[in-house]
Amino acid sequence: MTINLILLSLLAYVIGSIPSGLWIGKIFYKKDIREFGSGNLGATNSFRVLGIKAGSIVTIMDILKGTVATLLPFFFQLHVDHHFWLLTGAFAIIGHSFPLFAGFRGGKAVATSAGVILAYAPLLFVAALIIFLLTLKISKYVSLSSMIAALVALLISLFMGDWILIILIACITLFVVWRHRANITRIRNGEEPKIKWM
């Protein structure tokens, strides 16, 4: 059982390491998105550099990485407590942030983390998504919307009584805020780019 979990966690890391934005940019647009915009491999920079269509595809792919990785124990019929789903999901988040296939320089883990929550707690995912979209509509800042959605997800999780989930979301929230520290500075200085498509 332990060996199977280790193998699935490694597979989850590999799945998380798939650099969706990098590959789509290079294959279909002949662009390395690391050389444009923020230089980040995530969905936000994909929107900025490649456009709405490509950005949407990258977002969906990054979410699915987290969802598929979280469900690996289910797919392989490994009969473990559902909390172990969060283990494989966490490895996908690590893979997305430090990808094997992109020099260990990845995205900020927002979409992939959302995919993990989608697989484990779908209603929490919906709530966080609504908060994200409302904040984005008002502020036009993707970075701010991501951080607020993560914080709200953490607050909601406190009422769910699932301490493993709470710990994971707390770690995700801290990591997301840390990865956005440069964005926070730019927002404070009025230098953070705003979206124009919403």
Side-chain angles (χ1 to χ4, degrees), residues 1 14 26 33 36 56 62 76 86 94 111 122 128 136 149 151 177 186:
M1 184 73 73
V14 171
K26 283 190 170 183
I33 65 171
F36 301 90
S56 299
D62 284 351
F76 283 88
L86 294 176
I94 294 170
L136 186 61
L151 287 168
V177 172
R186 288 195 296 270

Side-chain angles (χ1 to χ4, degrees), residues 20 42-44 46-47 54-64 111-112:
S20 312
T44 301
S46 297
F47 272 104
S56 299
I57 294 171
V58 170
T59 301
I60 292 170
M61 290 180 67
D62 284 351
I63 290 173
L64 288 177
T112 303

Side-chain angles (χ1 to χ4, degrees), residues 43-98:
T44 301
N45 202 40
S46 297
F47 272 104
R48 186 178 296 123
V49 176
L50 305 176
I52 294 178
K53 181 179 179 181
S56 299
I57 294 171
V58 170
T59 301
I60 292 170
M61 290 180 67
D62 284 351
I63 290 173
L64 288 177
K65 289 192 304 184
T67 302
V68 170
T70 304
L71 294 175
L72 283 176
F74 171 77
F75 293 145
F76 283 88
Q77 298 182 343
L78 191 62
H79 300 293
V80 294
D81 188 276
H82 281 185
H83 287 133
F84 285 102
W85 293 18
L86 294 176
L87 174 66
T88 53
F91 272 88
I93 295 170
I94 294 170
H96 176 78
S97 304
F98 308 100

Side-chain angles (χ1 to χ4, degrees), residues 93 97-98 107-109 170-180:
I93 295 170
S97 304
F98 308 100
K108 297 179 179 177
C171 291
I172 289 171
T173 301
L174 289 172
F175 185 69
V176 166
V177 172
W178 180 75
R179 293 282 278 191
H180 283 90

Side-chain angles (χ1 to χ4, degrees), residues 17-40:
S17 288
I18 296 172
S20 312
L22 178 63
W23 287 358
I24 287 177
K26 283 190 170 183
I27 293 170
F28 297 103
Y29 296 85
K30 309 303 179 187
K31 285 184 177 181
D32 185 335
I33 65 171
R34 295 173 296 186
E35 299 174 357
F36 301 90
S38 66
N40 191 270

